[in-house]
Amino acid sequence: MLLDLSEEHKEHLAFLPKVDSAVVAEFGRIAVEFLRRGSNPKIYEGAARKLSVSSDTVQHGVEGLIYLLTESSKLMISELDFQDSVFVLGFPEELNKLLLQLYLDNRKEIRTILSELAPDLPSYHSLEWRLDVQLASRSLRQQIKPSVTIKLHLNQNGDHNTHVLQTDPATLLHLVQQLEQALEEMKTNHCRRVVRNIK
Amino acid sequence: MELSEYVQKGFQMLADPGSFDSNTFTLLLRAAFQSLLDAQADEAVLDHPDLKHIDPVVLKHCHAAAATYILEAGKQRADKSTLSTYLEDCKFDSERIELFWTEYQNNRNSLEILLGSIGRSLPHITDVSWRLEYQIKTNQLDKMYRPAYLVTLNVENTDSRSHPEISFSCNMEQLQDLVGKLKDASKSLERATQL
């Protein structure tokens, strides 16, 4: 699958062959850093002054690079497809190699960052448990009432939530049984067939 | 067991064969248990025709005294000797003590279950449901191809009116971790019960 680059995008990227490869490598580093931490406009100004171009030109160049990298990573395009997509830009061979390397080096991390943008449900982090026996209460003395106290740790959008819950022995066994069945499902023929065939 | 003068006076009236013969005594006792244990019971519990001839004030006093005593005895898990001691002090003859003890034994289980269920506790897990899905893509990321689970815990609060649910997603490793820990807990429970 080839990347479909718009005219505007090609224009922005056209800045790259005009500077030497060390600068392009630096832009690449900035691009990935911006994906990790968010953009910082001051960097554009600094670079613009050093290269004697407008800050807009630098910004477009870096943004073009960011878009190139994220689109390629999102679609998970092959090396060959990436090279063919970049080829239409008419860049020198050395620049193409640099861009390819940039893509391959950072693809995994960029995909991780992109996966964090998905609709987010609370996700499991860990679980602590404790066995308790209730011996008495205000309304009834001399009891022996076993229970399991559970602290469930969940993550959502970077926040950490905990839920403290309780259950009785019978329900605990039921929970284990149900969830073991859930795990077993992945091993069934049906699920294996789906995983094999949807790629 | 410390009980008030009100309870004691009520029992003294109950002890008197002049005010309550054996039949009415048993009826009142059963009415007391019924008021406590039957969720549908209301004031009509004292409307039995055989109780009509008794002064309503006396009836209510004795009924309240009996109910109070029953709850206290249930709470303290009173045995026969504790019961007998108190009832003797209230001038119960041995026949009435036996009647009381019989009724108490008949209703003891229900009473203890009721008393045990009163009180605050943490939200209680009652059930779990799960969903297995295969994630293919999002609008930000293609070719994901990974299985994921959505687990929902049904939880009951002590006020029985709110039933919040706790839902979370997890991958296979995380679910294995969760199941592993719950299995540890249940094994530990088994070991504890064998001690």
Side-chain angles (χ1 to χ4, degrees), chain A residues 108-122:
Chain A
K108 191 159 178 208
E109 189 183 351
I110 294 176
R111 280 179 72 80
T112 308
I113 296 171
L114 289 175
S115 70
E116 289 166 18
L117 293 169
D120 195 20
L121 288 161

Side-chain angles (χ1 to χ4, degrees), chain A residues 74-75 111 122-124 127 129 131 138-142 163 166-169 174 178 180 182 199, chain B residues 75 77 115 123-125 127 130 139-140 142-143 145 149 166 168-169 174 177-178 181 183 189:
Chain A
K74 166 181 165 180
L75 299 168
R111 280 179 72 80
S123 68
Y124 175 78
L127 179 135
W129 58 266
L131 215 49
R138 180 179 167 180
S139 41
L140 189 62
R141 313 281 194 259
Q142 297 171 40
H163 292 268
Q166 210 169 45
T167 191
D168 55 86
H174 170 70
Q178 286 297 309
E180 278 185 320
K199 276 220 210 295
Chain B
K75 175 169 102 177
R77 306 252 189 174
L115 290 172
H124 194 101
I125 303 176
D127 202 358
W130 54 269
N139 62 337
Q140 303 289 353
D142 274 22
K143 301 191 188 170
Y145 304 140
Y149 287 93
I166 298 179
F168 58 90
S169 67
Q174 290 167 332
D177 180 66
L178 172 61
K181 296 216 170 96
K183 273 170 104 160
L189 196 58

Side-chain angles (χ1 to χ4, degrees), chain B residues 2 18 85 99 107 120 164 170 185 190:
Chain B
E2 273 180 37
T85 312
L99 278 171
N107 290 288
R120 299 261 173 89
C170 55
E190 243 187 81

Side-chain angles (χ1 to χ4, degrees), chain B residues 119-139:
Chain B
R120 299 261 173 89
S121 69
L122 294 168
H124 194 101
I125 303 176
T126 51
D127 202 358
V128 66
S129 46
W130 54 269
R131 188 179 85 193
L132 172 59
E133 59 189 25
Y134 195 59
Q135 291 174 345
I136 300 179
K137 71 192 300 193
T138 71
N139 62 337

Side-chain angles (χ1 to χ4, degrees), chain B residues 85-96:
Chain B
T85 312
Y86 185 78
L87 294 177
E88 271 165 24
D89 284 347
C90 297
K91 315 278 193 292
F92 269 47
D93 60 41
S94 46
E95 190 205 332
R96 291 207 174 187

Side-chain angles (χ1 to χ4, degrees), chain B residues 10 41 70 116 128 134 162 179 193:
Chain B
I70 291 166
V128 66
Y134 195 59
S162 58
V179 173
T193 57

